[in-house]
Amino acid sequence: MSNQILIVEDEASLSAYLKTELTFENYKVLVAADGEAALALFKDHQQTLGVVLLDWMIPKLNGLEVLRRIRKQTTTLPVIFMTARDYIGDKVAGLDNGADDYITKPFEIEELLARLRVIFRRAAQQNTIAPRYQVANLTLDTKSHQVTRGDGVIQLTQREYTLLLYLMQHQSETVTRDELLDHVWGVDFVGQTNIVDVYIRYLRNKIDRDQRPRLIHTIRGVGYTLKVITDDA
């Protein structure tokens, strides 16, 4: 995974500050000040980009529209939303449209660096081996990053993919919410702990809706498990 970051931010002072700090941390940085410029840079550098740091309120095309267009091309490129909006509906909209994480402005650079470390560390771990996992008719190929159930391909965000991968690596085991936070979001994650339940719901909607047997099960008071229960209705 490349350490190149695309910053999409129309506030010149903030983008300059972020570029300076990230460059100091040995990241390669590209900067776009509006949605159209962001998509042009994405098109030119798609194969070398590691993360997109995307502001919500930008000229020409807003961040949500930029995200939608990126997701039409790739589901594996991590995108972190930067937004001054503190409304849960906006955050949910971003996550539902394929964002992997969000960070609310104003934020400390240390928080952003921590979130980036989680993303890059997770990618490095995934690239060391490339097995294929299967539970019932659900398959996950770590080489192609493709998830299928039966004959259908399931489109997942990077965060959803990582969560499913961890569940499949521990199929039939009960994993706690704390374990999922540590291994999927990272021990230095700063945010609401119910984010695990939110993403489990996203996965269920994509993997178990209208499918039998259902594979993701809640272990009340403990966490979750992914397995086949033969008497599942």
Side-chain angles (χ1 to χ4, degrees), residues 125-143:
Q125 292 170 347
Q126 291 174 0
N127 288 336
T128 57
I129 56 174
R132 183 174 180 268
Y133 297 93
Q134 181 166 356
V135 179
N137 63 344
L138 175 69
T139 62
L140 184 152
D141 189 317
T142 60
K143 185 174 182 179

Side-chain angles (χ1 to χ4, degrees), residues 116-164:
L116 289 171
R117 285 195 296 272
V118 169
I119 287 175
F120 284 102
R121 181 169 63 242
R122 185 173 63 232
Q125 292 170 347
Q126 291 174 0
N127 288 336
T128 57
I129 56 174
R132 183 174 180 268
Y133 297 93
Q134 181 166 356
V135 179
N137 63 344
L138 175 69
T139 62
L140 184 152
D141 189 317
T142 60
K143 185 174 182 179
S144 66
H145 276 232
Q146 185 175 75
V147 176
T148 60
R149 183 146 196 196
D151 296 327
V153 176
I154 299 172
Q155 300 296 329
L156 300 178
T157 67
Q158 181 65 31
R159 186 78 72 185
E160 292 166 349
Y161 173 88
T162 306
L163 177 58
L164 178 62

